[in-house]
């Protein structure tokens, strides 16, 4: 079966490859603190079905404990090293298999292997807390090699860290009117695409959550990143097929034969 990517919104995706279901940064909430889901219904219960879950860093819109609590008992969850110490609520999820990982590690589950790679991002549990866990990306190796960037900025050696991949799931925006350092906007994501040179890409981390009461503040930052990424990618990485999905939509991207 070809690899299938489903984008549920924000950074939450299901990568199904070789009969193994991989779920990224699950966030199933209608509301998270000051953020409200403005586009796409919350993911259906089947979105929580996974053989392994990849958590990229400790920010609450990526490591969301109530969403993790919806996983089936025994589900393996890869988290950055130090996460249970920094987020004590993780320790209460004792029906899950929480596995701490760091860049350079490899983890095998089902018919795929997960490579843990570097990300350039502030991985702290905010708004307070020491920097006790790194931000990470992951590469799922099965019939395809699929790179999930989590949150990251551009960094030297990015292509070498990620390696050759077929599909890249790249963040292209955020959840507020401004992006801080350690993020990719549409232009920087297109530059990352040019560096990594996958066969296909899916833009994520935009157009789903927005601060309550800020609907009229720079709304183009909410709506535009996906379309702008498609435009910028065509200029900077014209050989890459970009699949801009709606929340809940799936694609089976072309992979190397």
């Amino acid at each position: 079966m070809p690899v299938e990517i489903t984008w549920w919104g924000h950074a939450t995706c299901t990568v199904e490859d070789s009969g193994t279901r991989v779920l990224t940064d699950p966030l199933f909430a209608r509301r998270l603190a000051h953020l409200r889901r403005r586009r796409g219904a919350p993911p259906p219960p089947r979105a929580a079905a996974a053989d392994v879950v990849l958590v990229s860093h400790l920010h609450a819109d990526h490591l969301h404990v109530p969403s993790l609590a919806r996983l089936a008992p025994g589900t393996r969850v890869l988290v950055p090293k130090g996460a249970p110490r920094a987020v004590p609520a993780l320790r209460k999820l004792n029906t899950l298999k929480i596995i701490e990982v760091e860049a350079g590690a490899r983890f095998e589950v089902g018919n795929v292997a997960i490579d843990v790679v570097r990300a350039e991002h502030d991985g702290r549990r905010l708004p307070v807390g020491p920097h006790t866990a790194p931000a990470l990306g992951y590469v799922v190796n099965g019939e395809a090699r699929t790179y999930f960037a989590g949150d990251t900025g551009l960094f030297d050696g990015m292509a070498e860290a990620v390696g050759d991949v077929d599909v890249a799931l790249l963040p292209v925006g955020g959840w507020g009117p401004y992006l801080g350092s350690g993020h990719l906007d549409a232009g920087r994501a297109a530059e990352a695409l040019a560096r990594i040179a996958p066969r296909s890409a899916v833009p994520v981390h935009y157009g789903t959550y927005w601060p309550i009461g800020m609907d009229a503040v720079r709304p183009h930052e909410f709506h535009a990143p996906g379309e702008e990424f498609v435009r910028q990618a065509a200029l900077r990485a014209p050989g890459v097929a970009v699949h801009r999905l709606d929340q809940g939509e799936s694609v089976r991207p072309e992979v190397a034969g």
Side-chain angles (χ1 to χ4, degrees):
M1 175 181 173
V3 62
E4 183 173 85
I5 310 293
T6 303
W7 182 48
W8 301 111
H10 202 53
T12 306
C13 301
T14 293
V15 178
E16 188 161 4
D17 191 335
S18 305
T20 301
R21 287 176 62 90
V22 181
L23 177 64
T24 68
D25 286 351
L27 180 58
F28 302 143
R30 292 184 180 275
R31 178 175 175 177
L32 171 62
H34 64 299
L35 304 180
R36 173 170 57 93
R37 190 175 180 111
R38 287 191 55 207
R39 185 182 291 169
R46 62 186 173 86
D51 297 293
V52 63
V53 174
L54 312 179
V55 173
S56 62
H57 62 287
L58 304 190
H59 292 174
D61 57 321
H62 294 260
L63 195 170
H64 186 244
V65 173
S67 294
L68 293 175
R70 291 176 55 178
L71 302 172
T75 302
R76 286 156 283 198
V77 182
L78 307 191
V79 300
K81 187 175 182 179
R85 182 175 65 250
V87 186
L90 269 179
R91 304 173 199 167
K92 298 180 180 180
L93 302 179
N94 51 23
T95 64
L96 304 178
K97 295 181 179 178
I98 306 293
I99 302 166
E100 299 181 57
V101 297
E102 54 190 339
R106 169 169 275 219
F107 182 82
E108 296 187 1
V109 56
N111 297 314
V112 303
I114 312 294
D115 289 325
V116 186
V117 301
R118 173 189 168 195
E120 186 68 27
H121 188 69
D122 183 351
R124 290 177 295 177
R125 187 70 164 185
L126 299 178
V128 295
H131 195 153
T132 56
L136 301 171
Y138 298 90
V139 178
V140 180
N141 302 273
E143 184 174 326
R145 296 192 78 244
T146 302
Y147 170 48
F148 168 62
D151 261 354
T152 189
L154 293 168
F155 57 89
D156 292 339
M158 188 177 198
E160 292 77 12
V162 173
D164 294 332
V165 292
D166 296 292
V167 187
L169 311 179
L170 291 179
V172 302
W175 50 253
Y178 301 100
L179 280 175
S181 62
H183 291 87
L184 298 177
D185 61 10
R188 291 192 293 270
E191 173 59 26
L193 205 63
R195 295 185 188 187
I196 298 166
R199 296 174 67 90
S200 303
V202 176
V204 302
H205 203 279
Y206 78 99
T208 307
Y209 291 90
W210 202 246
I212 294 169
M214 296 187 69
D215 290 10
V217 179
R218 297 175 64 87
H220 62 285
E221 297 287 359
F222 177 81
H223 294 286
E227 293 88 343
E228 180 63 11
F229 175 69
V230 172
R231 188 184 75 82
Q232 294 271 3
L235 296 173
R236 302 190 191 193
V240 180
V242 177
H243 305 278
R244 187 179 69 81
L245 305 178
D246 291 327
Q247 287 86 349
E249 190 176 2
S250 302
V251 65
R252 292 182 176 179
E254 182 181 354
V255 301

